[in-house]
Amino acid sequence: HEQLCWLALSWGAELGPAAFGRALKAHGTAAAVLEADPETLTLGDARLKPEQAKAITYLRSDLDSFREELRDLALHQVHVYFSPDPGYPRPFRELPHPPPVVCVAGELMPIDDLAVAVVGTRTPSGEGADMAANVAHALASCDFTVVSGLARGIDTCAHQGALERDGRTLAVLGSGVLNVHPPENVQLGARIRQMGAIISELAPRAQPSVPSLMARNRLISV
C-alpha cells in the first residue's frame, strides 16, 4: 500500500523530489500525506502547491490505477525502484534530492559505476558527430559504461558509438520509460535495453518537457 502511495504522489500529484521529501518528512509516510488535509499540505511543513494538494485529495480513492500501472510495467519488463530499495541506482542516492521512484527498462549492473557521460548539441557538425561516436567507442573499449540522454545529435552518436563496440550504455530520459523520445530513436532505445538500460524518474508515459529534460541532466551527471 505504501508503495502505491509513493506512485500516487510522484506520478499522480507530480511531486518533484524536493516536494516529495518535504511531504514525507512532515507526515512520516506517503499514506499519511494522501490522508492529510489540503490546507495542512500547503501551509504546513510540506509547502506543496495548491494544485498538488488538490490532486492529492482526488488520488486517495484512485490507488488501484497505480496497481494496474505496476502490472503493465511488469509486462513490459520494466523494473520500478523506490529510493529505499536495494536495487535503486546507487549514484542517485548521492543527490541532494534523489528521485523517489525510478523506472528501469533493461538491467543496471555494478560495472555501470564505472561510467562516463557523453552529451552535447542536438545539431552537431559532421566532425562533432564523428568525435562523439569515436569517444564513446573508445570508452566502451576500455569497459566504461557510456551514459547519455537519447536525444538527437551528440547523444544519439554517443549511444551508437558504444553499441558498435558491444559496450554498455545507459539512456536517461526526460520522458517516461514507455514513451521514448525522439520517435526516430525508438529502435535505438530497444538496442540500449539489450546492452544496458533506459532510465526515467517520470511516470511511464510522461511526455518530455523543458523542465523534465533539464532535470534529467542532474541524473546523467552522477
Side-chain angles (χ1 to χ4, degrees):
H1 178 77
E2 179 66 6
Q3 289 186 339
L4 296 179
C5 294
W6 277 53
L7 298 183
L9 295 177
S10 297
W11 297 351
E14 298 184 354
L15 299 192
F20 185 96
R22 290 196 308 271
L24 203 64
K25 183 177 180 180
H27 296 276
T29 66
V33 175
L34 281 179
E35 294 301 324
D37 181 86
E39 186 173 343
T40 303
L41 293 173
T42 54
L43 300 180
D45 292 339
R47 305 192 309 280
L48 300 185
K49 298 176 182 178
E51 58 268 27
Q52 292 173 325
K54 184 177 181 180
I56 287 172
T57 63
Y58 291 111
L59 289 167
R60 295 170 182 168
S61 58
D62 193 33
L63 292 183
D64 282 345
S65 65
F66 298 99
R67 184 178 288 107
E68 289 300 319
E69 190 75 85
L70 284 178
R71 290 171 180 164
D72 186 53
L73 287 169
L75 291 175
H76 284 89
Q77 296 181 313
V78 173
H79 305 284
V80 180
Y81 296 110
F82 301 84
S83 56
D85 292 346
Y88 183 87
R90 185 198 57 77
F92 293 176
R93 298 187 191 277
E94 301 173 5
L95 292 166
H97 301 291
V101 184
V102 174
C103 290
V104 177
E107 185 179 3
L108 296 176
M109 301 179 67
I111 58 174
D112 295 328
D113 287 347
L114 189 65
V116 175
V118 180
V119 296
T121 178
R122 288 170 169 76
T123 56
S125 64
E127 183 180 359
D130 290 342
M131 178 66 73
N134 290 338
V135 167
H137 189 282
L139 288 168
S141 299
C142 296
D143 295 327
F144 282 90
T145 295
V146 174
V147 183
S148 198
L150 200 58
R152 296 182 179 96
I154 294 298
D155 291 23
T156 294
C157 295
H159 290 303
Q160 291 174 335
L163 291 171
E164 286 172 4
R165 185 61 180 80
D166 292 329
R168 286 188 60 77
T169 183
L170 307 178
V172 184
L173 304 186
S175 60
V177 75
L178 296 182
N179 189 18
V180 172
H181 274 261
E184 62 264 30
N185 276 355
V186 169
Q187 289 187 344
L188 176 59
R191 292 177 62 200
I192 292 171
R193 285 186 63 159
Q194 295 176 346
M195 296 297 294
I198 294 175
I199 305 167
S200 176
E201 64 177 320
L202 303 174
R205 293 172 178 78
Q207 293 292 327
S209 67
V210 172
S212 66
L213 289 168
M214 293 179 64
R216 62 93 182 264
N217 290 338
R218 81 193 195 287
L219 303 183
I220 293 176
S221 69
V222 297

